[in-house]
Amino acid sequence: MDIDLAALPDDVKMLHRLVRSLAAERTAALVAAQAEIERLRLIVQKLQRSQFGRRSERLDDDQLQFGFEDLEADLATVETRLRPSREKSSPSASRNDQLRFPAALEREDRRINVEHDACPCCGGALHMIGETVTEMLDHVPARLRVIRIRRPRYGCRACGTIHQASAPERPIAKGLATPALLAHVLVSKYCDHLPLYRQSQIFARHGVELNRSTLANWVGGAVWWLEPLHARLAEHVFASQVLFADDTPIPVLDPGRGRTKTGRLWVYARDDRPWCGTDPPAVVYLYSPDRRAERPAAHLQRFTGTVHVDGYPGFDRLPAAGHIQLAACWAHARRKFYEVHQATGSPVAADALKRIGELYAIEASIRGQTAEARRSVRQSRALPLIAAMRDWLEVELNRLPPRGGVADAIRYALTRWTALCRFLDDGRIELDNNTVERAIRPITLGRKNHLFAGSDGGAQRWAIVASLLATAKLNDVEPFAYLRGVLECLSDGYPMRHLDDLLPWNWTPLKAAA
């Protein structure tokens, strides 16, 4: 009910009826809102069961996120209904929800002043004693523009010669795209997972017809500039003494058979931050058309150190050369027990999960400490737990049916026990392979959107761009600004002997401009 405060009735009884009416409306609104909130909470609980419940009941992660997004919007709608209209526009009402916007964002000031210069109460002159500043986040839609390059020609009347400045180098020979537009296409395709045909539709809405084949030509030409950086990035990753390795399938179109084949992206990552290492984190993806064990062996032929791996048998051949040792993943070992426990409620599996959880609690307490400090704590606290766990696993294995799920989980751990215990003697080694698992997630999202790579060459380009984008994000570098700057530098003739300056952890907009 809207009330004109300037025209309130003078009759007391009328005012009483008005107040009671307002109170009844408010109470009804609160009851309805509480019922709606309770309904939404039940939906949240169902979604949580879909995430953490039995595998057969789980939702795809993307579907789950869509559900939570809509629920949050529903809750915001209910809260808006409950909030008085004045409170909506009150600066103090939204102060607790105020986001911290980066200082580098462009600011536009809009001044809202009072409508009078004199005080309406007494007529005295007004003077400024301060101001209230609030910020709102705005969006300026992307815009396309045409850059016209003018090169005046000059003639000499004395000798008849003509003088003109040389045309600037273009990143794509005879191409119409600037480095900024190329970077936008690459980031949209490989970071935001927008296939080229969708980008073509978006450009058409802006009034520019760019067909998919044109965009594909641009992608191929732009990635050509990035190949040396990818090679240098791989050298940096394999120069580490501690690596994380895994692979993930990607469908690749096979025109000869009229369907797709399964290629592999091999992922290698290094991240020294958990033990205070000074080298920058990095990820490199390498494509191969198959999953033969010779692939990781060829990738790591010059590597010396420890490799975190999962249960893929192809990695088991790596130590044969004598310069590589494997560190197995406790997350994979835990997953075996977790699946059995979720399916059967096995107390043995529950006990195994508890023991592994104690190891992770120790790791959480020493994350960010030096390698030697981590090793010392592990020797004093984790080593006794590991020794007790192995004795317990061997005893339980003899008691269990040999073909049961718990027995399989125990055998999985015991056959990799040496590799699982590698972290005890080296503070640089992690408890699991989750570093590289996180690097695979963007590939999984891209795979869902792209459906497949169009060729082996397309898969290789995917690996090159994904390596640079993932490494840029690991080093807190904005991907679009990075690729734009790198393409500008390389097309302008940046000296290859200084190529390391363009790696993500060395790149800055200032260097790119120079």
Side-chain angles (χ1 to χ4, degrees):
M1 176 184 295
D2 294 329
I3 299 176
D4 185 1
L5 297 179
L8 288 174
D10 296 328
D11 184 34
V12 175
K13 292 183 179 180
M14 180 70 72
L15 287 174
H16 284 179
R17 285 198 298 271
L18 184 61
V19 171
R20 282 194 293 268
S21 177
L22 287 174
E25 288 185 7
R26 181 67 175 171
T27 301
L30 286 174
V31 171
Q34 291 297 333
E36 178 69 6
I37 290 172
E38 185 63 27
R39 185 184 70 84
L40 294 174
R41 283 176 178 169
L42 289 175
I43 297 176
V44 169
Q45 291 173 1
K46 290 180 180 179
L47 288 176
Q48 289 174 337
R49 285 197 298 272
S50 298
Q51 182 179 22
F52 302 111
R54 294 176 182 269
R55 175 167 294 182
S56 61
E57 301 175 354
R58 293 183 190 176
L59 290 176
D60 177 83
D61 186 63
D62 292 337
Q63 294 175 320
L64 188 66
Q65 295 306 319
F66 287 145
F68 279 123
E69 288 172 6
D70 284 336
L71 282 174
E72 289 168 357
D74 289 343
L75 287 170
T77 301
V78 176
E79 292 172 355
T80 303
R81 290 173 183 167
L82 291 176
R83 190 180 306 157
S85 58
R86 288 185 179 180
E87 189 178 348
K88 295 178 187 177
S89 60
S90 171
S92 60
S94 59
R95 189 171 299 158
N96 293 333
D97 298 330
Q98 184 70 38
L99 296 175
R100 294 184 178 272
F101 300 132
L105 284 182
E106 176 187 352
R107 257 77 173 174
E108 176 184 317
D109 289 336
R110 297 183 181 180
R111 189 181 183 90
I112 302 176
N113 214 334
V114 295
E115 299 177 353
H116 40 266
D117 297 328
C119 178
C121 301
C122 65
L126 298 179
H127 64 281
M128 186 172 177
I129 59 173
E131 65 178 351
T132 300
V133 179
T134 56
E135 292 188 339
M136 298 176 65
L137 189 61
D138 190 25
H139 172 68
V140 179
R143 60 191 179 95
L144 295 170
R145 64 178 181 178
V146 177
I147 296 179
R148 292 193 294 180
I149 301 174
R150 298 178 178 271
R151 294 183 296 129
R153 291 192 299 270
Y154 299 93
C156 177
R157 291 190 176 91
C159 64
T161 58
I162 296 177
H163 302 270
Q164 186 180 36
S166 300
E169 185 71 27
R170 299 190 179 194
I172 306 295
K174 299 182 180 180
L176 302 177
T178 66
L181 183 54
L182 294 177
H184 170 75
V185 173
L186 291 178
V187 170
S188 297
K189 177 176 174 63
Y190 296 109
C191 186
D192 299 329
H193 316 299
L194 277 175
L196 294 182
Y197 80 90
R198 293 184 189 170
Q199 294 190 50
S200 177
Q201 295 170 351
I202 294 172
F203 283 123
R205 293 203 301 266
H206 287 276
V208 179
E209 297 291 339
L210 294 173
N211 59 46
R212 185 194 52 77
S213 61
T214 298
L215 297 177
N217 290 335
W218 290 357
V219 169
V223 174
W224 178 83
W225 289 102
L226 302 176
E227 288 177 0
L229 270 179
H230 179 259
R232 186 65 193 92
L233 181 63
E235 292 177 14
H236 168 76
V237 170
F238 293 131
S240 175
Q241 294 183 338
V242 179
L243 279 187
F244 301 85
D246 202 353
D247 70 299
T248 186
I250 57 170
V252 180
L253 190 62
D254 189 359
R257 296 189 298 169
R259 54 191 177 92
T260 61
K261 62 182 180 181
T262 301
R264 312 298 295 195
L265 277 186
W266 300 87
V267 191
Y268 300 96
R270 62 176 299 180
D271 191 351
D272 303 344
R273 293 173 296 180
W275 50 272
C276 297
T278 57
D279 289 329
V283 176
V284 66
Y285 303 86
L286 301 174
Y287 171 72
S288 71
D290 52 55
R291 204 191 187 196
R292 296 202 304 264
E294 290 83 357
R295 303 298 183 180
H299 299 155
L300 299 169
Q301 60 182 344
R302 297 182 181 178
F303 172 78
T304 299
T306 302
V307 182
H308 297 76
V309 297
D310 58 9
Y312 170 54
F315 289 128
D316 295 339
R317 304 184 187 182
L318 294 176
H323 56 88
I324 293 176
Q325 62 180 6
L326 301 181
C329 177
W330 276 100
H332 282 79
R334 181 189 180 279
R335 189 176 304 161
K336 302 291 184 181
F337 291 104
Y338 175 79
E339 291 174 350
V340 174
H341 182 261
Q342 290 294 94
T344 67
S346 166
V348 176
D351 198 354
L353 292 175
K354 176 178 177 295
R355 291 170 182 265
I356 296 173
E358 292 173 349
L359 295 179
Y360 273 93
I362 295 173
E363 288 302 301
S365 68
I366 60 176
R367 184 166 299 278
Q369 298 183 17
T370 64
E372 182 55 35
R374 283 155 58 97
R375 190 197 70 82
S376 176
V377 172
R378 288 169 174 174
Q379 288 289 318
S380 62
R381 296 176 58 189
L383 180 58
L385 297 178
I386 289 286
M389 188 188 304
R390 176 163 189 173
D391 293 341
W392 174 77
L393 289 174
E394 290 176 342
V395 170
E396 292 298 331
L397 182 61
N398 293 327
R399 295 177 178 175
L400 295 168
R403 295 181 179 273
V406 178
D408 290 341
I410 292 176
R411 279 192 292 269
Y412 179 92
L414 291 179
T415 54
R416 295 166 174 79
W417 198 254
T418 300
L420 284 171
C421 297
R422 193 81 66 188
F423 76 102
L424 294 171
D425 300 317
D426 191 338
R428 300 171 302 173
I429 298 175
E430 288 291 291
L431 205 59
D432 53 41
N433 205 24
N434 286 348
T435 297
V436 77
E437 295 282 348
R438 289 189 291 270
I440 288 177
R441 289 174 188 168
I443 303 300
T444 304
L445 288 174
R447 188 167 59 218
K448 290 180 179 179
N449 286 271
H450 298 296
L451 300 182
F452 54 81
S455 64
D456 288 335
Q460 179 62 29
R461 287 190 290 274
W462 192 349
I464 291 172
V465 181
S467 300
L468 294 172
L469 292 178
T471 303
K473 288 188 283 188
L474 277 177
N475 290 274
D476 297 323
V477 174
E478 200 281 309
F480 168 75
Y482 170 67
L483 283 187
R484 178 185 61 185
V486 166
L487 289 172
E488 287 174 350
C489 288
L490 293 175
S491 61
D492 286 344
Y494 199 84
M496 296 302 289
R497 65 180 181 276
H498 296 311
L499 191 62
D500 282 4
D501 292 342
L502 299 183
L503 289 170
W505 53 88
N506 290 328
W507 181 88
T508 64
L510 184 60
K511 287 182 181 178

